[in-house]
């Protein structure tokens, strides 16, 4: 039986960083990489395609670091 893929809808998903990351808050996943038991996501800033970095996708599940979707600053502050 095939093993279920971790994070099947990762590519194309949009995320808001709770703290500015490389000067931005809104990112989209453009690529994924599986390395053994780890899954990495390539994040690209929505306003600056030159800002890109790889992130362990488990970090996206930490609500203290990331929120799914693009949130406004007012939405982020109202949830804190």
């Amino acid at each position: 039986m095939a093993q279920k893929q971790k994070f099947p809808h990762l590519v194309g998903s949009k995320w808001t960083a709770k703290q500015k990351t490389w000067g931005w808050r809104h990112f989209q996943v453009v690529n994924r990489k599986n390395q053994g038991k780890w899954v990495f996501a390539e994040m690209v800033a929505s306003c600056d395609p030159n800002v890109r970095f790889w992130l362990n996708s488990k970090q996206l599940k930490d609500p203290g670091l990331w929120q799914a979707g693009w949130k406004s600053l007012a939405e982020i502050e109202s949830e804190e």
Side-chain angles (χ1 to χ4, degrees), residues 10-76:
L10 188 61
V11 175
S13 61
K14 297 173 180 162
W15 297 88
T16 300
K18 290 287 216 141
Q19 302 291 321
K20 280 191 176 183
T21 306
W22 301 104
W24 301 100
R25 285 190 188 267
H26 296 110
F27 295 88
Q28 187 164 1
V29 178
V30 294
N31 202 354
R32 70 177 283 146
K33 179 169 40 177
N34 296 328
Q35 288 188 335
K37 66 177 187 169
W38 303 107
V39 178
F40 293 90
E42 184 177 15
M43 309 292 283
V44 175
S46 61
C47 294
D48 185 353
N50 294 319
V51 175
R52 36 179 69 219
F53 58 93
W54 287 91
L55 172 78
N56 184 329
S57 39
K58 279 198 170 193
Q59 288 187 309
L60 295 174
K61 290 187 170 190
D62 183 343
L65 298 174
W66 295 94
Q67 287 184 298
W70 287 341
K71 309 284 185 201
S72 69
L73 192 54
E75 288 175 305
I76 294 169

